[in-house]
């Protein structure tokens, strides 16, 4: 199995979700199943069916999280020494050269990506274009609206 890069914070979030699923959600669904089972006939018991379906989802998610965590290569951006290059975990300040828009992104693993909080996946087109570049470089990025050029204003490891 190949390793999956993930930031230290991303690994903590996955561990928190796994803990919640194992110690809160799983026991709650077991109680729901036993209560639904106590109602009698299971063939027409919607509560029982819903609880069993939820149990299946929880167990599947637990397996998925355990698998990801076992294959995770945890990277702490604060400990990187890469001389100002854009690498996994770096936070990059950019300026769109076409319209002057300033953007900030952190390059993270696929499971951590959330554009709403400026975290982009390492496998996204913009991250792939930025990897290996340095502050001051102008990079051509394939965006949904066409090719764009961005200048790297700063690279931080936080």
């Amino acid at each position: 199995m190949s390793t999956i890069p993930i930031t230290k914070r991303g690994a903590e979030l996955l561990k928190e979700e796994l803990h919640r699923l194992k110690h809160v959600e799983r026991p709650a669904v077991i109680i729901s199943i036993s209560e639904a089972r106590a109602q009698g006939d299971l063939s027409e018991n919607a509560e029982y069916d819903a609880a069993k379906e939820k149990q299946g989802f929880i167990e599947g998610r637990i397996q998925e999280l355990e698998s990801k965590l076992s294959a995770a290569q945890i990277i702490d951006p604060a400990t990187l020494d890469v001389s100002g290059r854009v690498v996994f975990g770096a936070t990059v300040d950019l300026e769109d050269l076409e319209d002057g828009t300033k953007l900030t992104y952190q390059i993270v693993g696929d499971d951590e990506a959330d554009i709403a909080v400026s975290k982009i996946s390492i496998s996204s087109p913009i991250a792939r274009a930025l990897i290996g570049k340095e502050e001051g470089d102008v990079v051509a990025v394939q965006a949904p609206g066409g090719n764009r050029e961005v200048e790297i204003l700063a690279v931080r490891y936080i």
Side-chain angles (χ1 to χ4, degrees), residues 8-156:
K8 185 177 176 182
R9 179 68 185 137
E12 289 169 2
L13 291 173
L14 290 181
K15 287 175 186 175
E16 288 171 12
E17 181 183 358
L18 181 61
H19 184 270
R20 181 183 49 79
L21 287 171
K22 283 183 166 183
H23 300 285
V24 177
E25 300 288 331
R26 182 189 269 167
V29 80
I30 289 170
I31 291 169
S32 296
I33 289 171
S34 67
E35 288 173 353
R37 190 175 273 149
Q39 294 175 4
D41 186 12
L42 299 180
S43 63
E44 295 182 21
N45 189 329
E47 290 85 11
Y48 177 77
D49 292 340
K52 288 297 281 183
E53 187 174 316
K54 186 173 181 179
Q55 181 185 37
F57 171 78
I58 290 169
E59 294 302 325
R61 184 66 180 154
I62 287 171
Q63 276 187 317
E64 179 183 359
L65 291 172
E66 287 176 338
S67 174
K68 285 179 182 179
L69 286 169
S70 70
Q73 176 186 3
I74 300 172
I75 298 170
D76 184 357
T79 63
L80 297 176
D81 181 22
V82 289
S83 306
R85 281 189 331 228
V86 177
V87 294
F88 180 87
T91 299
V92 185
D93 297 326
L94 306 169
E95 180 178 358
D96 187 320
L97 296 180
E98 189 173 309
D99 62 15
T101 306
K102 294 202 181 343
L103 307 162
T104 299
Y105 294 120
Q106 181 182 19
I107 300 173
V108 297
D110 293 336
D111 292 316
E112 302 171 81
D114 184 355
I115 195 68
V117 292
S118 299
K119 293 185 176 198
I120 59 172
S121 168
I122 185 75
S123 58
S124 70
I126 190 166
R128 288 193 313 246
L130 293 171
I131 294 294
K133 305 299 190 285
E134 297 178 349
E135 189 174 312
D137 287 352
V138 174
V139 180
V141 176
Q142 179 67 28
N147 283 338
R148 315 255 325 165
E149 284 194 336
V150 295
E151 180 180 356
I152 300 173
L153 301 176
V155 180
R156 296 173 281 135

